[in-house]
Amino acid sequence: MNRAAAMMVAAVLVSVAVPAATAQAATAPRIDLKVLVVDDGGSSVGAITAELRDTGVPYTRIELGSASRPVINAAFLSDTVDGRPRAKYQGVVLPNENPFGEGSAEMAALGAYETAYGIRQVDAYTWAHPGVGLEYTDNGGYSGQLDGTRAAVTAAGKAGPFAYLGGQVTFEDNSALVPESYGFMGKPRAGYTSYLDAPVGSGRASLVGEYAHDGRSELVVTFGYNQHQQQFRLLARGIVEWLTQGVHLGQSRNYFAVHVDDVFAPDARWNKELNCTPGDYACAGGEGKESTIRMTAADAVYAAQWQTSKNFKLDMLFNGGAGEEWKTENGGTDALTAQLVADRAKYRWMNHTYTHPFLGCVQDTSTVPWSCVKDASGAVKYMSRAEISAQIRDNNNWAASKGIAIDRTEIVTGEHSGLRTNPQQPQDNPNLAGAFADNGVKWAGSDNSREPAQRAVGAALTVPRHPMNVYYNTGTNAEMADEYNWIYAGRADGGSGICEDNPATSTCLPAALDVNTGYLDYIVPQEARTALRHVLANDPRPHYVHQSNLAEDRTLYPVLNQVLDTYRTLYAPSAPIVNQSMKDTGVELGRRAAWDSALAAGKVTAYRIGTTVTVKAPAGVLAPVTAPTGTKKQLLLGTTDFGTAYAGTRSTWSGPELLQNAVTLRLPS
């Protein structure tokens, strides 16, 4: 951009937005808490946009290539409200340092606006060159593939926007066959402060940094990424905090909870000769070959010890009646139940129904796939309200008899049954909502792979759960690898061919896994990577597995160990994993839905004037707000500390206090 022209445009913009320098000094401008995103359709801008959306930060998106888009000029960026100059955006995200072209009036207007109001700009992906404060890559830098690059947060980054990180940011390298990352590393010039760098030759060069020049600040990112890649997920929080100067709507946490289904019940076992699970109606030839997997007392002892060693609590979803049936069939004693009950205070417990029946339609399993039984008039037959209610009530009473504390507002039905199951049962069992009401159920677990959105079931709300790819019907590593091969290997490699027949939804393994090593060497890293991606994406949905995964080879622990150990090396203690109850997750999802609706309807007003932040939302809608440590919330009389600490900031869902119609925060000076 021509500097003389930019200065002239800046002078014009300032004269329009703020008539005189003395007026600017006397009247602090209003800065609206919204981000401007100029989108070129690339994955890097898309990733930042996803972070804003998923954490509740309001933004206005401008499609750069759209002929009908608004022109970015002084009037678009600022105006006057109640005699006070207003900046309509608190931060600007651009595809690069100047996506409008050389000499662009729009870029000049943005530059002048940022200078006048102290607004920051993120260059989502650009190359290393003096225009962004970096030397060209041929002067001690690098350009090319970055897969596996071991970058590190610099001292300035740790003291600044990336203080919540442990220090290391390694670029993903999930496949030696596919290039996953490309970028540039450059040596800083005057005005540039590096926040993330990596070794180049005998020195280091920057990948992310702040370029201060001409009264403006740009966060310069010199590598490409998408919203799912770990290197972006690690940096996303810091990018938003830097852009908004630590004051914004929206909040983010790193959540991880693990539900262990079928506790006290046995699970059926995979048969590697039949390539199915005897006991399942769809397992032809399985009659008489049934086998089950069930935890032992030793497995229960190990679970408690593991929790202590990892400082992580499991959720035990139990079937008390199924455990009683097992005890009756096995000599009248049950060391597993005795051990888990003795350790009951060490876990969170949740109702999974008394004997784990299917709570939906009456199933006809004479054909594959099963279908719903219909009466003479053609109406679907469903399990009755009384039967469903008894399954919930009896399990609650069983827990009470054992001294197991539960929250009776929570339930996960066996196989998420009773909820709609496409294609056979496209609607909920009409008796389900009533049975929930009979027992005070407000939160019902659902399968995120089927229904990722929260929805109502009568007066209750669903809480979607992520299935983990650690199979319920396997107790050993070899069984896991064998079933995995059957599903994901091609027919030529002994697989079922499901992956070949459904290429849009499944990818075949390049070769069948070694059943002796495949689970630990291939499946565990892949599943841990998937779970960690959820953790780093502000996703509160719990994950679920089964009690069989804590038995025999204890297949779950290698996955959880990798998730937890990796996380704790990536993050500083200021950003711990949030392991919360299903009810708390249900509340979180409900608040997010209400907030997103209010934003979409344009019913939120939020701005900052000096050190005062004001947030107005519709009645009953709490606002997610993030602010620096030391921020106070205004009460009717006096103030109180705002929010809770996480990752170096304070944040919470907040509403007006008594006799107030807005949230008012007092920022530290």
Side-chain angles (χ1 to χ4, degrees), residues 352-373:
H352 196 43
T353 72
Y354 192 57
T355 58
H356 201 288
F358 189 82
L359 304 186
C361 66
V362 178
Q363 293 176 297
D364 178 359
T365 59
S366 62
T367 60
V368 179
W370 63 267
S371 60
C372 290
V373 173

mmCIF file with all atom_site columns, all heavy atoms in Angstrom, residues 352-373:
data_model
loop_
_atom_site.group_PDB
_atom_site.id
_atom_site.type_symbol
_atom_site.label_atom_id
_atom_site.label_alt_id
_atom_site.label_comp_id
_atom_site.label_asym_id
_atom_site.label_entity_id
_atom_site.label_seq_id
_atom_site.pdbx_PDB_ins_code
_atom_site.Cartn_x
_atom_site.Cartn_y
_atom_site.Cartn_z
_atom_site.occupancy
_atom_site.B_iso_or_equiv
_atom_site.pdbx_formal_charge
_atom_site.auth_seq_id
_atom_site.auth_comp_id
_atom_site.auth_asym_id
_atom_site.auth_atom_id
_atom_site.pdbx_PDB_model_num
ATOM 1   N N   . HIS A 1 352 ? -28.459 -46.398 33.693 1.00 0.00 ? 352 HIS A N   1
ATOM 2   C CA  . HIS A 1 352 ? -28.401 -46.940 32.329 1.00 0.00 ? 352 HIS A CA  1
ATOM 3   C C   . HIS A 1 352 ? -29.544 -47.945 32.109 1.00 0.00 ? 352 HIS A C   1
ATOM 4   O O   . HIS A 1 352 ? -29.458 -48.774 31.200 1.00 0.00 ? 352 HIS A O   1
ATOM 5   C CB  . HIS A 1 352 ? -27.037 -47.603 32.113 1.00 0.00 ? 352 HIS A CB  1
ATOM 6   C CG  . HIS A 1 352 ? -26.677 -47.860 30.676 1.00 0.00 ? 352 HIS A CG  1
ATOM 7   N ND1 . HIS A 1 352 ? -26.893 -46.946 29.661 1.00 0.00 ? 352 HIS A ND1 1
ATOM 8   C CD2 . HIS A 1 352 ? -26.094 -48.946 30.083 1.00 0.00 ? 352 HIS A CD2 1
ATOM 9   C CE1 . HIS A 1 352 ? -26.458 -47.450 28.517 1.00 0.00 ? 352 HIS A CE1 1
ATOM 10  N NE2 . HIS A 1 352 ? -25.976 -48.669 28.739 1.00 0.00 ? 352 HIS A NE2 1
ATOM 11  N N   . THR A 1 353 ? -30.576 -47.865 32.962 1.00 0.00 ? 353 THR A N   1
ATOM 12  C CA  . THR A 1 353 ? -31.742 -48.752 33.059 1.00 0.00 ? 353 THR A CA  1
ATOM 13  C C   . THR A 1 353 ? -31.375 -50.035 33.801 1.00 0.00 ? 353 THR A C   1
ATOM 14  O O   . THR A 1 353 ? -30.208 -50.420 33.866 1.00 0.00 ? 353 THR A O   1
ATOM 15  C CB  . THR A 1 353 ? -32.404 -49.086 31.710 1.00 0.00 ? 353 THR A CB  1
ATOM 16  O OG1 . THR A 1 353 ? -31.587 -49.963 30.948 1.00 0.00 ? 353 THR A OG1 1
ATOM 17  C CG2 . THR A 1 353 ? -32.738 -47.814 30.939 1.00 0.00 ? 353 THR A CG2 1
ATOM 18  N N   . TYR A 1 354 ? -32.393 -50.687 34.339 1.00 0.00 ? 354 TYR A N   1
ATOM 19  C CA  . TYR A 1 354 ? -32.172 -51.799 35.259 1.00 0.00 ? 354 TYR A CA  1
ATOM 20  C C   . TYR A 1 354 ? -31.575 -53.028 34.576 1.00 0.00 ? 354 TYR A C   1
ATOM 21  O O   . TYR A 1 354 ? -30.587 -53.594 35.041 1.00 0.00 ? 354 TYR A O   1
ATOM 22  C CB  . TYR A 1 354 ? -33.502 -52.150 35.946 1.00 0.00 ? 354 TYR A CB  1
ATOM 23  C CG  . TYR A 1 354 ? -33.366 -53.079 37.127 1.00 0.00 ? 354 TYR A CG  1
ATOM 24  C CD1 . TYR A 1 354 ? -32.549 -52.764 38.204 1.00 0.00 ? 354 TYR A CD1 1
ATOM 25  C CD2 . TYR A 1 354 ? -34.083 -54.274 37.175 1.00 0.00 ? 354 TYR A CD2 1
ATOM 26  C CE1 . TYR A 1 354 ? -32.434 -53.600 39.305 1.00 0.00 ? 354 TYR A CE1 1
ATOM 27  C CE2 . TYR A 1 354 ? -33.981 -55.123 38.279 1.00 0.00 ? 354 TYR A CE2 1
ATOM 28  C CZ  . TYR A 1 354 ? -33.149 -54.782 39.335 1.00 0.00 ? 354 TYR A CZ  1
ATOM 29  O OH  . TYR A 1 354 ? -33.041 -55.609 40.418 1.00 0.00 ? 354 TYR A OH  1
ATOM 30  N N   . THR A 1 355 ? -32.168 -53.444 33.441 1.00 0.00 ? 355 THR A N   1
ATOM 31  C CA  . THR A 1 355 ? -31.657 -54.656 32.777 1.00 0.00 ? 355 THR A CA  1
ATOM 32  C C   . THR A 1 355 ? -31.255 -54.426 31.324 1.00 0.00 ? 355 THR A C   1
ATOM 33  O O   . THR A 1 355 ? -31.011 -55.386 30.595 1.00 0.00 ? 355 THR A O   1
ATOM 34  C CB  . THR A 1 355 ? -32.702 -55.782 32.830 1.00 0.00 ? 355 THR A CB  1
ATOM 35  O OG1 . THR A 1 355 ? -33.917 -55.339 32.202 1.00 0.00 ? 355 THR A OG1 1
ATOM 36  C CG2 . THR A 1 355 ? -32.981 -56.210 34.264 1.00 0.00 ? 355 THR A CG2 1
ATOM 37  N N   . HIS A 1 356 ? -31.204 -53.164 30.881 1.00 0.00 ? 356 HIS A N   1
ATOM 38  C CA  . HIS A 1 356 ? -30.706 -52.837 29.541 1.00 0.00 ? 356 HIS A CA  1
ATOM 39  C C   . HIS A 1 356 ? -31.593 -53.381 28.411 1.00 0.00 ? 356 HIS A C   1
ATOM 40  O O   . HIS A 1 356 ? -31.086 -53.866 27.400 1.00 0.00 ? 356 HIS A O   1
ATOM 41  C CB  . HIS A 1 356 ? -29.279 -53.361 29.373 1.00 0.00 ? 356 HIS A CB  1
ATOM 42  C CG  . HIS A 1 356 ? -28.493 -52.683 28.275 1.00 0.00 ? 356 HIS A CG  1
ATOM 43  N ND1 . HIS A 1 356 ? -28.733 -52.870 26.937 1.00 0.00 ? 356 HIS A ND1 1
ATOM 44  C CD2 . HIS A 1 356 ? -27.437 -51.837 28.338 1.00 0.00 ? 356 HIS A CD2 1
ATOM 45  C CE1 . HIS A 1 356 ? -27.868 -52.178 26.213 1.00 0.00 ? 356 HIS A CE1 1
ATOM 46  N NE2 . HIS A 1 356 ? -27.063 -51.535 27.043 1.00 0.00 ? 356 HIS A NE2 1
ATOM 47  N N   . PRO A 1 357 ? -32.924 -53.297 28.481 1.00 0.00 ? 357 PRO A N   1
ATOM 48  C CA  . PRO A 1 357 ? -33.745 -53.732 27.352 1.00 0.00 ? 357 PRO A CA  1
ATOM 49  C C   . PRO A 1 357 ? -33.797 -52.650 26.282 1.00 0.00 ? 357 PRO A C   1
ATOM 50  O O   . PRO A 1 357 ? -33.403 -51.494 26.513 1.00 0.00 ? 357 PRO A O   1
ATOM 51  C CB  . PRO A 1 357 ? -35.123 -53.929 27.982 1.00 0.00 ? 357 PRO A CB  1
ATOM 52  C CG  . PRO A 1 357 ? -35.153 -52.887 29.048 1.00 0.00 ? 357 PRO A CG  1
ATOM 53  C CD  . PRO A 1 357 ? -33.752 -52.818 29.607 1.00 0.00 ? 357 PRO A CD  1
ATOM 54  N N   . PHE A 1 358 ? -34.307 -53.001 25.110 1.00 0.00 ? 358 PHE A N   1
ATOM 55  C CA  . PHE A 1 358 ? -34.541 -52.029 24.044 1.00 0.00 ? 358 PHE A CA  1
ATOM 56  C C   . PHE A 1 358 ? -35.851 -51.313 24.360 1.00 0.00 ? 358 PHE A C   1
ATOM 57  O O   . PHE A 1 358 ? -36.903 -51.941 24.463 1.00 0.00 ? 358 PHE A O   1
ATOM 58  C CB  . PHE A 1 358 ? -34.619 -52.733 22.686 1.00 0.00 ? 358 PHE A CB  1
ATOM 59  C CG  . PHE A 1 358 ? -34.646 -51.792 21.516 1.00 0.00 ? 358 PHE A CG  1
ATOM 60  C CD1 . PHE A 1 358 ? -33.474 -51.249 21.015 1.00 0.00 ? 358 PHE A CD1 1
ATOM 61  C CD2 . PHE A 1 358 ? -35.851 -51.441 20.916 1.00 0.00 ? 358 PHE A CD2 1
ATOM 62  C CE1 . PHE A 1 358 ? -33.496 -50.365 19.935 1.00 0.00 ? 358 PHE A CE1 1
ATOM 63  C CE2 . PHE A 1 358 ? -35.886 -50.563 19.839 1.00 0.00 ? 358 PHE A CE2 1
ATOM 64  C CZ  . PHE A 1 358 ? -34.698 -50.027 19.351 1.00 0.00 ? 358 PHE A CZ  1
ATOM 65  N N   . LEU A 1 359 ? -35.802 -49.994 24.494 1.00 0.00 ? 359 LEU A N   1
ATOM 66  C CA  . LEU A 1 359 ? -36.953 -49.232 24.970 1.00 0.00 ? 359 LEU A CA  1
ATOM 67  C C   . LEU A 1 359 ? -37.783 -48.609 23.851 1.00 0.00 ? 359 LEU A C   1
ATOM 68  O O   . LEU A 1 359 ? -38.695 -47.830 24.127 1.00 0.00 ? 359 LEU A O   1
ATOM 69  C CB  . LEU A 1 359 ? -36.500 -48.108 25.913 1.00 0.00 ? 359 LEU A CB  1
ATOM 70  C CG  . LEU A 1 359 ? -35.671 -48.504 27.132 1.00 0.00 ? 359 LEU A CG  1
ATOM 71  C CD1 . LEU A 1 359 ? -35.448 -47.292 28.024 1.00 0.00 ? 359 LEU A CD1 1
ATOM 72  C CD2 . LEU A 1 359 ? -36.329 -49.625 27.913 1.00 0.00 ? 359 LEU A CD2 1
ATOM 73  N N   . GLY A 1 360 ? -37.480 -48.971 22.621 1.00 0.00 ? 360 GLY A N   1
ATOM 74  C CA  . GLY A 1 360 ? -38.215 -48.395 21.505 1.00 0.00 ? 360 GLY A CA  1
ATOM 75  C C   . GLY A 1 360 ? -39.384 -49.249 21.077 1.00 0.00 ? 360 GLY A C   1
ATOM 76  O O   . GLY A 1 360 ? -40.167 -49.735 21.902 1.00 0.00 ? 360 GLY A O   1
ATOM 77  N N   . CYS A 1 361 ? -39.503 -49.472 19.785 1.00 0.00 ? 361 CYS A N   1
ATOM 78  C CA  . CYS A 1 361 ? -40.570 -50.325 19.283 1.00 0.00 ? 361 CYS A CA  1
ATOM 79  C C   . CYS A 1 361 ? -40.263 -51.786 19.616 1.00 0.00 ? 361 CYS A C   1
ATOM 80  O O   . CYS A 1 361 ? -39.118 -52.147 19.905 1.00 0.00 ? 361 CYS A O   1
ATOM 81  C CB  . CYS A 1 361 ? -40.726 -50.143 17.781 1.00 0.00 ? 361 CYS A CB  1
ATOM 82  S SG  . CYS A 1 361 ? -39.315 -50.718 16.797 1.00 0.00 ? 361 CYS A SG  1
ATOM 83  N N   . VAL A 1 362 ? -41.294 -52.605 19.572 1.00 0.00 ? 362 VAL A N   1
ATOM 84  C CA  . VAL A 1 362 ? -41.089 -54.046 19.712 1.00 0.00 ? 362 VAL A CA  1
ATOM 85  C C   . VAL A 1 362 ? -40.390 -54.517 18.445 1.00 0.00 ? 362 VAL A C   1
ATOM 86  O O   . VAL A 1 362 ? -40.853 -54.269 17.337 1.00 0.00 ? 362 VAL A O   1
ATOM 87  C CB  . VAL A 1 362 ? -42.427 -54.770 19.903 1.00 0.00 ? 362 VAL A CB  1
ATOM 88  C CG1 . VAL A 1 362 ? -42.206 -56.284 19.991 1.00 0.00 ? 362 VAL A CG1 1
ATOM 89  C CG2 . VAL A 1 362 ? -43.141 -54.253 21.153 1.00 0.00 ? 362 VAL A CG2 1
ATOM 90  N N   . GLN A 1 363 ? -39.237 -55.190 18.618 1.00 0.00 ? 363 GLN A N   1
ATOM 91  C CA  . GLN A 1 363 ? -38.401 -55.531 17.466 1.00 0.00 ? 363 GLN A CA  1
ATOM 92  C C   . GLN A 1 363 ? -38.742 -56.903 16.888 1.00 0.00 ? 363 GLN A C   1
ATOM 93  O O   . GLN A 1 363 ? -38.914 -57.872 17.635 1.00 0.00 ? 363 GLN A O   1
ATOM 94  C CB  . GLN A 1 363 ? -36.918 -55.516 17.860 1.00 0.00 ? 363 GLN A CB  1
ATOM 95  C CG  . GLN A 1 363 ? -36.374 -54.139 18.204 1.00 0.00 ? 363 GLN A CG  1
ATOM 96  C CD  . GLN A 1 363 ? -34.939 -54.208 18.673 1.00 0.00 ? 363 GLN A CD  1
ATOM 97  O OE1 . GLN A 1 363 ? -34.638 -54.814 19.702 1.00 0.00 ? 363 GLN A OE1 1
ATOM 98  N NE2 . GLN A 1 363 ? -34.041 -53.597 17.924 1.00 0.00 ? 363 GLN A NE2 1
ATOM 99  N N   . ASP A 1 364 ? -38.803 -56.952 15.572 1.00 0.00 ? 364 ASP A N   1
ATOM 100 C CA  . ASP A 1 364 ? -38.894 -58.216 14.848 1.00 0.00 ? 364 ASP A CA  1
ATOM 101 C C   . ASP A 1 364 ? -37.500 -58.514 14.319 1.00 0.00 ? 364 ASP A C   1
ATOM 102 O O   . ASP A 1 364 ? -37.008 -57.854 13.402 1.00 0.00 ? 364 ASP A O   1
ATOM 103 C CB  . ASP A 1 364 ? -39.886 -58.095 13.691 1.00 0.00 ? 364 ASP A CB  1
ATOM 104 C CG  . ASP A 1 364 ? -39.989 -59.377 12.858 1.00 0.00 ? 364 ASP A CG  1
ATOM 105 O OD1 . ASP A 1 364 ? -39.276 -60.360 13.179 1.00 0.00 ? 364 ASP A OD1 1
ATOM 106 O OD2 . ASP A 1 364 ? -40.763 -59.388 11.882 1.00 0.00 ? 364 ASP A OD2 1
ATOM 107 N N   . THR A 1 365 ? -36.819 -59.498 14.934 1.00 0.00 ? 365 THR A N   1
ATOM 108 C CA  . THR A 1 365 ? -35.441 -59.812 14.564 1.00 0.00 ? 365 THR A CA  1
ATOM 109 C C   . THR A 1 365 ? -35.354 -61.047 13.666 1.00 0.00 ? 365 THR A C   1
ATOM 110 O O   . THR A 1 365 ? -34.287 -61.634 13.518 1.00 0.00 ? 365 THR A O   1
ATOM 111 C CB  . THR A 1 365 ? -34.597 -60.027 15.826 1.00 0.00 ? 365 THR A CB  1
ATOM 112 O OG1 . THR A 1 365 ? -35.165 -61.104 16.591 1.00 0.00 ? 365 THR A OG1 1
ATOM 113 C CG2 . THR A 1 365 ? -34.551 -58.764 16.667 1.00 0.00 ? 365 THR A CG2 1
ATOM 114 N N   . SER A 1 366 ? -36.471 -61.412 13.050 1.00 0.00 ? 366 SER A N   1
ATOM 115 C CA  . SER A 1 366 ? -36.456 -62.586 12.175 1.00 0.00 ? 366 SER A CA  1
ATOM 116 C C   . SER A 1 366 ? -35.802 -62.280 10.838 1.00 0.00 ? 366 SER A C   1
ATOM 117 O O   . SER A 1 366 ? -35.496 -63.193 10.070 1.00 0.00 ? 366 SER A O   1
ATOM 118 C CB  . SER A 1 366 ? -37.885 -63.098 11.952 1.00 0.00 ? 366 SER A CB  1
ATOM 119 O OG  . SER A 1 366 ? -38.679 -62.109 11.303 1.00 0.00 ? 366 SER A OG  1
ATOM 120 N N   . THR A 1 367 ? -35.593 -60.992 10.552 1.00 0.00 ? 367 THR A N   1
ATOM 121 C CA  . THR A 1 367 ? -34.936 -60.591 9.314  1.00 0.00 ? 367 THR A CA  1
ATOM 122 C C   . THR A 1 367 ? -33.792 -59.644 9.644  1.00 0.00 ? 367 THR A C   1
ATOM 123 O O   . THR A 1 367 ? -33.733 -59.055 10.734 1.00 0.00 ? 367 THR A O   1
ATOM 124 C CB  . THR A 1 367 ? -35.914 -59.881 8.370  1.00 0.00 ? 367 THR A CB  1
ATOM 125 O OG1 . THR A 1 367 ? -36.430 -58.715 9.025  1.00 0.00 ? 367 THR A OG1 1
ATOM 126 C CG2 . THR A 1 367 ? -37.072 -60.791 7.977  1.00 0.00 ? 367 THR A CG2 1
ATOM 127 N N   . VAL A 1 368 ? -32.868 -59.503 8.696  1.00 0.00 ? 368 VAL A N   1
ATOM 128 C CA  . VAL A 1 368 ? -31.759 -58.569 8.839  1.00 0.00 ? 368 VAL A CA  1
ATOM 129 C C   . VAL A 1 368 ? -31.900 -57.503 7.755  1.00 0.00 ? 368 VAL A C   1
ATOM 130 O O   . VAL A 1 368 ? -31.944 -57.843 6.576  1.00 0.00 ? 368 VAL A O   1
ATOM 131 C CB  . VAL A 1 368 ? -30.405 -59.290 8.691  1.00 0.00 ? 368 VAL A CB  1
ATOM 132 C CG1 . VAL A 1 368 ? -29.250 -58.294 8.806  1.00 0.00 ? 368 VAL A CG1 1
ATOM 133 C CG2 . VAL A 1 368 ? -30.260 -60.388 9.745  1.00 0.00 ? 368 VAL A CG2 1
ATOM 134 N N   . PRO A 1 369 ? -32.038 -56.222 8.093  1.00 0.00 ? 369 PRO A N   1
ATOM 135 C CA  . PRO A 1 369 ? -32.046 -55.679 9.451  1.00 0.00 ? 369 PRO A CA  1
ATOM 136 C C   . PRO A 1 369 ? -33.387 -55.912 10.135 1.00 0.00 ? 369 PRO A C   1
ATOM 137 O O   . PRO A 1 369 ? -34.371 -56.259 9.485  1.00 0.00 ? 369 PRO A O   1
ATOM 138 C CB  . PRO A 1 369 ? -31.804 -54.180 9.223  1.00 0.00 ? 369 PRO A CB  1
ATOM 139 C CG  . PRO A 1 369 ? -32.417 -53.921 7.882  1.00 0.00 ? 369 PRO A CG  1
ATOM 140 C CD  . PRO A 1 369 ? -32.136 -55.156 7.070  1.00 0.00 ? 369 PRO A CD  1
ATOM 141 N N   . TRP A 1 370 ? -33.416 -55.702 11.438 1.00 0.00 ? 370 TRP A N   1
ATOM 142 C CA  . TRP A 1 370 ? -34.649 -55.871 12.191 1.00 0.00 ? 370 TRP A CA  1
ATOM 143 C C   . TRP A 1 370 ? -35.670 -54.828 11.770 1.00 0.00 ? 370 TRP A C   1
ATOM 144 O O   . TRP A 1 370 ? -35.340 -53.818 11.133 1.00 0.00 ? 370 TRP A O   1
ATOM 145 C CB  . TRP A 1 370 ? -34.379 -55.802 13.688 1.00 0.00 ? 370 TRP A CB  1
ATOM 146 C CG  . TRP A 1 370 ? -33.829 -54.481 14.179 1.00 0.00 ? 370 TRP A CG  1
ATOM 147 C CD1 . TRP A 1 370 ? -32.513 -54.139 14.332 1.00 0.00 ? 370 TRP A CD1 1
ATOM 148 C CD2 . TRP A 1 370 ? -34.582 -53.323 14.590 1.00 0.00 ? 370 TRP A CD2 1
ATOM 149 N NE1 . TRP A 1 370 ? -32.391 -52.860 14.796 1.00 0.00 ? 370 TRP A NE1 1
ATOM 150 C CE2 . TRP A 1 370 ? -33.643 -52.323 14.974 1.00 0.00 ? 370 TRP A CE2 1
ATOM 151 C CE3 . TRP A 1 370 ? -35.940 -53.022 14.682 1.00 0.00 ? 370 TRP A CE3 1
ATOM 152 C CZ2 . TRP A 1 370 ? -34.012 -51.065 15.424 1.00 0.00 ? 370 TRP A CZ2 1
ATOM 153 C CZ3 . TRP A 1 370 ? -36.327 -51.761 15.132 1.00 0.00 ? 370 TRP A CZ3 1
ATOM 154 C CH2 . TRP A 1 370 ? -35.378 -50.801 15.494 1.00 0.00 ? 370 TRP A CH2 1
ATOM 155 N N   . SER A 1 371 ? -36.905 -55.039 12.163 1.00 0.00 ? 371 SER A N   1
ATOM 156 C CA  . SER A 1 371 ? -37.964 -54.079 11.869 1.00 0.00 ? 371 SER A CA  1
ATOM 157 C C   . SER A 1 371 ? -38.871 -53.941 13.083 1.00 0.00 ? 371 SER A C   1
ATOM 158 O O   . SER A 1 371 ? -38.790 -54.718 14.042 1.00 0.00 ? 371 SER A O   1
ATOM 159 C CB  . SER A 1 371 ? -38.781 -54.530 10.657 1.00 0.00 ? 371 SER A CB  1
ATOM 160 O OG  . SER A 1 371 ? -39.371 -55.793 10.901 1.00 0.00 ? 371 SER A OG  1
ATOM 161 N N   . CYS A 1 372 ? -39.737 -52.953 13.062 1.00 0.00 ? 372 CYS A N   1
ATOM 162 C CA  . CYS A 1 372 ? -40.687 -52.722 14.149 1.00 0.00 ? 372 CYS A CA  1
ATOM 163 C C   . CYS A 1 372 ? -41.947 -53.568 13.927 1.00 0.00 ? 372 CYS A C   1
ATOM 164 O O   . CYS A 1 372 ? -42.496 -53.590 12.816 1.00 0.00 ? 372 CYS A O   1
ATOM 165 C CB  . CYS A 1 372 ? -41.083 -51.252 14.225 1.00 0.00 ? 372 CYS A CB  1
ATOM 166 S SG  . CYS A 1 372 ? -39.770 -50.151 14.805 1.00 0.00 ? 372 CYS A SG  1
ATOM 167 N N   . VAL A 1 373 ? -42.389 -54.243 14.965 1.00 0.00 ? 373 VAL A N   1
ATOM 168 C CA  . VAL A 1 373 ? -43.620 -55.029 14.898 1.00 0.00 ? 373 VAL A CA  1
ATOM 169 C C   . VAL A 1 373 ? -44.820 -54.079 14.841 1.00 0.00 ? 373 VAL A C   1
ATOM 170 O O   . VAL A 1 373 ? -44.842 -53.055 15.533 1.00 0.00 ? 373 VAL A O   1
ATOM 171 C CB  . VAL A 1 373 ? -43.727 -55.962 16.126 1.00 0.00 ? 373 VAL A CB  1
ATOM 172 C CG1 . VAL A 1 373 ? -45.083 -56.663 16.145 1.00 0.00 ? 373 VAL A CG1 1
ATOM 173 C CG2 . VAL A 1 373 ? -42.588 -56.979 16.116 1.00 0.00 ? 373 VAL A CG2 1
#
